[in-house]
């Protein structure tokens, strides 16, 4: 056995990790640890099951397979691992001096990707810099994506075949259960788990805040750019499932045969559905969590506004120019043109005639300072991300401390590309991986300022995980919790500043009755 190998006994069997280099030193990593049985064959579209225990030391020096997913030329991703069905694995990162019983705070990461893309092995989520200081243990999680994780087939249950709803959410719950039962052996404290994620990963975070089954599995949460209102009912989910069956030339009565459909065919069909849904219904996604009345009893924002979300401290926020990324990629995922926005509002009015939609005058007042093109992007940003986050913050602040932020910083290259602080641009700052081989962020300079921004963000996130308060480095402003009396918001730019009621105009325009429109 090499001297840098690490063996840890888990509840299912022993795993051997490795030491990896970091800034002249080493950190420890265990990769590809199985937390659930392979979701294949009869377990496809079913809840995750415990893995079969093992006695021989399992190799945990390489990442497990990424969940099978389609390829989008406009959204290229380096998954860091080959794709495969046997994808329910996680990775643990810890500083080299971390030992069992250290009881360090734990941060569990959920990647984004519109619920159809991404993996825990993406180079962007390399945990070395977050754990290198020895303050936390980091866990990154794979969960099922797209049709495999978020296709609701429960309407087609028969005596021969049963399908489970929200399989991807259940995967995350299973991973959190693994963390609860095993993280102490890696030096983490199961009582101090912070669940954090971005985009779809943040959507899972805000959804689990409303799931009774998640109670006690995490003690704090961070939601970066959560599409918190992209949670649908069974009727919409059934239409998506029917569309997928149609793409596969299958009748609803043949749904039980889906477990035998080859992965490439399933991915091809789901990709067509994924691309068609936002064109037909602007502002909606094909594969998302659903209100199933079991795991998820109601819409997360509604649960928060009724003061029924889990009372854990929460950091929640968005990037200033979220929608600019989707314009750059020419993606239909967001309604970023006046025509698409008009279509979205028309459909909302038809589906929910009793809903009080904003008037043209209200919209015009809220976005009066924006040029026509920028106005559409601002509206898309607010409808898709900002207002759902504000609505959830308003409700959740009654049960636990909430820290609202807006990430405003953009490196020179992103300004030249006219994307600014677009969707996902905060990720290398949170992970400290600016300037990585495939990260072009600093190609036009700005490294010194960007690294200072990253240090502040990481310090606040780490302090929140450790102490439930997002204190910055010495000399940085205090970040007060969000309260309706002052509505504090941390603006993360070249410097951190605290502002009050920065969303006043858009909040006045959108009100609080839009929470169910998605």
């Amino acid at each position: 056995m090499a001297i840098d190998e690490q063996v840890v006994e888990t509840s299912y069997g022993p795993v051997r990790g490795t030491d990896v280099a970091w800034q002249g030193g080493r950190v420890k990593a265990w990769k590809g640890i199985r937390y659930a049985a392979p979701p294949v064959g009869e377990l496809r579209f079913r809840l995750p099951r415990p893995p079969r225990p093992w006695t021989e030391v399992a190799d945990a020096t390489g990442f497990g397979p990424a969940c099978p997913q389609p390829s989008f030329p406009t959204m290229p991703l380096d998954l860091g691992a080959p794709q495969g069905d046997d994808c329910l694995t996680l990775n643990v990162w810890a500083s080299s001096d971390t030992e069992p019983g250290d009881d360090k705070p734990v941060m569990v990461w959920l990647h984004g990707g519109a619920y159809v893309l991404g993996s825990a092995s993406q180079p962007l989520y390399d945990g070395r810099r977050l754990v290198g200081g020895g303050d936390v243990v980091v866990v990154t999680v794979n969960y099922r994506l797209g049709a495999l994780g978020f296709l609701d087939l429960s309407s087609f249950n028969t005596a021969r075949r049963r399908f489970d709803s929200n399989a991807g959410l259940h995967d995350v719950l299973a991973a959190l259960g693994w963390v609860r039962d095993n993280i102490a052996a890696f030096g983490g404290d199961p009582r101090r788990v912070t669940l954090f994620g971005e985009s779809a990963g943040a959507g899972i975070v805000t959804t689990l805040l409303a799931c009774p089954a998640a109670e006690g599995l995490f003690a704090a949460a961070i939601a970066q750019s959560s599409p918190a209102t992209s949670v649908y009912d069974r009727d919409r989910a059934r239409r998506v499932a029917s569309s997928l069956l149609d793409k596969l030339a299958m009748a609803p009565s043949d749904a039980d045969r889906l477990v035998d459909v080859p992965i490439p065919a399933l991915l091809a069909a789901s990709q067509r559905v994924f691309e068609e849904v936002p064109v037909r219904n602007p502002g909606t996604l094909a594969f998302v969590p659903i209100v199933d009345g079991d795991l998820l009893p109601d819409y997360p924002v509604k649960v928060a506004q009724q003061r029924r979300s889990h009372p854990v401290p929460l950091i929640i926020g968005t990037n200033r120019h979220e929608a600019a990324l989707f314009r750059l990629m020419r993606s239909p995922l967001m309604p970023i043109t006046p025509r698409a926005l008009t279509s979205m509002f028309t459909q909302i009015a038809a589906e929910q005639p009793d809903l009080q939609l904003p008037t043209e005058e209200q919209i015009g007042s809220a976005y009066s300072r924006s040029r026509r093109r920028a106005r559409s992007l601002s509206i898309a940003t607010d409808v898709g991300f900002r207002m759902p986050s504000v609505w959830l913050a308003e409700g959740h602040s009654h049960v636990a401390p909430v820290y609202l932020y807006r990430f405003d910083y953009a490196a020179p290259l992103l300004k030249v590309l006219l994307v600014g602080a677009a969707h996902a641009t905060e990720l290398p700052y949170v992970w400290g991986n600016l300037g990585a081989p495939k990260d072009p962020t600093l190609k036009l300079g700005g490294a010194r300022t960007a690294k200072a921004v990253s240090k502040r963000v990481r310090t606040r996130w780490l302090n929140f995980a450790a102490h439930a308060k997002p204190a910055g480095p010495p000399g940085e402003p205090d970040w007060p919790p969000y309260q309706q009396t002052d509505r504090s918001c941390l603006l993360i730019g070249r410097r951190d500043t605290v502002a009050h009621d920065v969303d006043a105009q858009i909040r006045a325009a959108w009100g609080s009755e839009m929470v169910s429109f998605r």
Side-chain angles (χ1 to χ4, degrees):
M1 180 186 298
I3 61 172
D4 64 347
E5 291 176 335
Q6 305 288 337
V7 176
V8 173
E9 189 73 39
T10 76
S11 55
Y12 297 114
V15 295
R16 176 183 292 121
T18 187
D19 286 348
V20 293
W22 178 75
Q23 290 191 343
R26 315 290 292 180
V27 302
K28 294 187 283 191
W30 294 264
K31 302 175 181 178
I33 302 174
R34 189 187 304 282
Y35 69 84
V40 299
E42 296 297 312
L43 294 185
R44 185 188 283 185
F45 308 119
R46 298 303 307 273
L47 303 188
R49 306 288 175 83
R52 182 177 299 174
W54 60 89
T55 56
E56 296 294 322
V57 177
D59 178 62
T61 60
F63 291 114
C67 179
Q69 55 198 269
S71 174
F72 296 91
T74 60
M75 291 182 280
L77 288 181
D78 180 358
L79 297 176
Q83 299 178 35
D85 292 50
D86 187 6
C87 60
L88 298 186
T89 62
L90 51 77
N91 317 296
V92 180
W93 302 81
S95 61
S96 58
D97 61 351
T98 302
E99 300 291 342
D102 280 355
D103 287 339
K104 292 184 176 181
V106 181
M107 299 182 73
V108 178
W109 173 254
L110 304 178
H111 68 81
Y115 295 104
V116 296
L117 297 170
S119 75
S121 52
Q122 288 175 240
L124 183 58
Y125 309 135
D126 185 300
R128 276 176 268 199
R129 189 168 294 275
L130 270 184
V131 306
D135 298 318
V136 297
V137 174
V138 168
V139 179
T140 61
V141 176
N142 274 343
Y143 55 92
R144 279 175 283 180
L145 302 170
L148 294 169
F150 296 95
L151 179 70
D152 184 52
L153 295 163
S154 59
S155 299
F156 308 118
N157 282 339
T158 66
R160 291 181 301 170
R161 182 80 63 192
R162 175 179 171 78
F163 301 104
D164 293 318
S165 302
N166 287 319
L169 292 182
H170 282 282
D171 292 343
V172 174
L173 289 174
L176 288 170
W178 184 96
V179 170
R180 176 196 60 207
D181 298 338
N182 292 282
I183 204 63
F186 297 83
D189 185 349
R191 299 163 300 180
R192 289 195 293 165
V193 173
T194 295
L195 185 63
F196 73 132
E198 183 267 345
S199 194
I204 294 176
V205 171
T206 52
T207 299
L208 291 184
L209 285 172
C211 292
E215 183 176 5
L217 290 177
F218 54 95
I222 301 173
Q224 302 167 205
S225 303
S226 170
T229 47
S230 289
V231 177
Y232 307 145
D233 60 20
R234 283 197 184 277
D235 287 341
R236 190 186 293 265
R238 184 175 61 252
R239 292 196 295 271
V240 169
S242 297
S243 179
L244 183 112
L245 288 170
D246 183 64
K247 299 291 186 295
L248 291 167
M250 297 172 63
S253 58
D254 296 326
D256 61 306
R257 294 196 291 111
L258 277 172
V259 298
D260 300 317
V261 172
I263 286 293
L266 186 64
L267 291 180
S270 63
Q271 183 168 0
R272 289 176 60 193
V273 173
F274 177 80
E275 292 173 337
E276 288 177 3
V277 164
V279 173
R280 187 170 58 246
N281 301 105
T284 62
L285 298 173
F287 306 106
V288 297
I290 68 157
V291 176
D292 59 7
D294 181 17
L295 176 65
L296 183 59
D298 213 333
Y299 297 97
V301 173
K302 181 179 178 182
V303 170
Q305 292 196 331
Q306 293 177 346
R307 308 182 186 186
R308 295 187 289 121
S309 47
H310 295 305
V312 301
L314 171 68
I315 289 176
I316 189 168
T318 59
N319 296 353
R320 187 169 187 175
H321 310 111
E322 296 275 3
L325 176 70
F326 302 92
R327 179 187 63 187
L328 179 69
M329 298 188 306
R330 300 182 184 276
S331 169
L333 292 182
M334 292 193 72
I336 56 177
T337 66
R339 183 176 182 178
L341 287 165
T342 299
S343 176
M344 182 187 72
F345 282 113
T346 300
Q347 291 181 25
I348 295 169
E351 290 179 3
Q352 302 186 53
D354 295 331
L355 193 62
Q356 188 68 40
L357 295 174
T359 65
E360 288 188 21
E361 183 179 353
Q362 289 172 315
I363 295 294
S365 174
Y367 301 95
S368 59
R369 297 182 181 179
S370 301
R371 296 177 181 175
R372 179 175 175 82
R373 189 177 184 185
R375 180 180 301 184
S376 295
L377 289 177
S378 296
I379 293 173
T381 289
D382 294 339
V383 169
F385 297 102
R386 187 61 184 181
M387 285 314 301
S389 294
V390 170
W391 288 327
L392 197 139
E394 294 244 344
H396 194 74
S397 65
H398 291 286
V399 300
V402 173
Y403 300 90
L404 182 69
Y405 75 87
R406 193 181 73 196
F407 187 83
D408 289 1
Y409 183 73
L413 175 66
L414 299 184
K415 292 181 179 179
V416 169
L417 293 174
L418 302 179
V419 295
H423 190 65
T425 57
E426 90 287 2
L427 287 173
Y429 296 86
V430 170
W431 286 88
N433 292 328
L434 284 159
K438 294 187 179 181
D439 175 23
T441 303
L442 304 180
K443 291 295 185 182
L444 294 184
R448 182 175 181 180
T449 300
K451 290 179 179 179
V453 173
S454 178
K455 181 180 179 180
R456 296 199 309 270
V457 171
R458 283 182 286 120
T459 298
R460 291 189 186 278
W461 265 226
L462 291 170
N463 280 333
F464 181 73
H467 310 295
K469 293 185 178 180
E476 291 299 320
D478 181 48
W479 183 0
Y482 184 92
Q483 298 175 338
Q484 292 190 7
T485 52
D486 59 9
R487 295 187 165 92
S488 297
C489 177
L490 184 73
L491 303 181
I492 303 171
R494 294 179 65 90
R495 294 179 176 82
D496 286 355
T497 58
V498 175
H500 300 289
D501 209 3
V502 295
D503 304 302
Q505 284 186 303
I506 61 173
R507 201 180 64 256
W510 297 109
S512 62
E513 295 192 44
M514 292 285 286
V515 297
S516 63
F517 86 89
R518 306 283 283 176

